């Protein structure tokens, strides 16, 4: 009886393990993402968003792309633009534009739980702010090639005295 249970358990494990590899996350596939950061202005803003408060506004747009170098493991790059308009003390509006960048790796644990580490930054008027980002979440495949990926993110600044930034995130990914 123990042998039958052991063989059954091994068969169940093999079946579950075989089903965890999603073909959309296979080596040689591509990934294109758009993300939200819920109004957080952080170096990782290769996302889409709009925020306004008392005459101040922020508009950001960007995206990320990745290539799967192994099953469940993608190398990624991201680019974005952030425009910030602030109402000054004198009633004038000042607008500044920043460019956002990101390079990193994303791994899908059991093809469902994406974790990511990246180097990211924002560049404006000759000033650069860089950070190392950590992200984790869940990948809900609404179709074989489209996933919605809610998660949490933490960016830790690289400059001395920098503090970390937590943000919520919802990603929308296309897998080719």
């Amino acid at each position: 009886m123990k042998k039958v249970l052991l063989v059954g358990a091994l068969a169940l494990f093999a079946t579950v393990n075989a089903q965890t590899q999603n073909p959309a996350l296979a080596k040689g596939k591509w990934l294109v993402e758009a993300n939200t950061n819920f109004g957080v202005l952080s170096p990782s803003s290769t996302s889409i968003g709009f925020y306004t408060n008392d005459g101040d506004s922020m508009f950001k747009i960007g995206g990320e792309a990745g290539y799967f170098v192994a099953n469940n493991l993608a190398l990624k790059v991201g680019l974005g633009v952030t425009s910030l308009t602030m109402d000054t003390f004198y009633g004038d509006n000042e607008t500044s534009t920043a460019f956002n960048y990101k390079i990193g790796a994303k791994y899908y644990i059991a093809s469902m739980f994406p974790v990511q580490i990246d180097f990211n930054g924002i560049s404006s008027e000759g000033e650069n702010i860089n950070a190392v980002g950590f992200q984790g979440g869940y990948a809900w495949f609404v179709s074989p090639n489209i996933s919605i990926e809610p998660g949490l993110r933490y960016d830790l600044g690289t400059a001395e005295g920098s503090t970390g930034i937590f943000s919520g995130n919802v990603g929308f990914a296309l897998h080719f």
Side-chain angles (χ1 to χ4, degrees):
M1 183 63 157
K2 289 181 184 179
K3 288 181 183 180
V4 171
L5 289 176
L6 180 60
V7 170
L10 288 173
L12 179 63
F13 176 75
T15 303
V16 169
N17 195 29
Q19 291 176 353
T20 60
Q21 179 53 48
N22 185 330
L25 308 175
K27 180 179 178 179
K29 297 288 187 170
W30 288 90
L31 166 72
V32 177
E33 286 183 299
N35 294 296
T36 64
N37 280 107
F38 302 121
V40 175
L41 181 59
S42 70
S44 69
S45 287
T46 56
S47 59
I48 298 171
F50 179 75
Y51 172 80
T52 185
N53 185 25
D54 291 335
D56 298 340
S57 64
M58 177 183 61
F59 173 75
K60 55 187 178 176
I61 188 164
E64 300 177 28
Y67 179 75
F68 285 89
V69 295
N71 288 345
N72 296 316
L73 176 64
L75 298 180
K76 293 178 51 181
V77 295
L79 293 173
V81 176
T82 299
S83 177
L84 183 62
T85 302
M86 298 185 71
D87 189 15
T88 65
F89 178 74
Y90 301 106
D92 298 333
N93 284 335
E94 288 185 11
T95 301
S96 63
T97 302
F99 296 95
N100 312 91
Y101 47 89
K102 183 186 293 185
I103 185 166
K106 186 174 194 174
Y107 183 75
Y108 287 81
I109 298 169
S111 296
M112 295 185 308
F113 302 102
V115 292
Q116 179 172 308
I117 185 168
D118 54 64
F119 176 77
N120 58 73
I122 185 169
S123 177
S124 178
E125 300 175 10
E127 297 289 324
N128 292 322
I129 300 171
N130 295 313
V132 175
F134 305 93
Q135 185 172 313
Y138 179 75
W140 174 39
F141 280 84
V142 295
S143 77
N145 296 324
I146 299 173
S147 65
I148 298 173
E149 301 182 4
L152 294 175
R153 180 169 182 83
Y154 181 72
D155 287 296
L156 180 60
T158 59
E160 188 174 324
S162 294
T163 60
I165 299 172
F166 273 106
S167 62
N169 190 9
V170 177
F172 304 91
L174 300 174
H175 303 265
F176 301 99

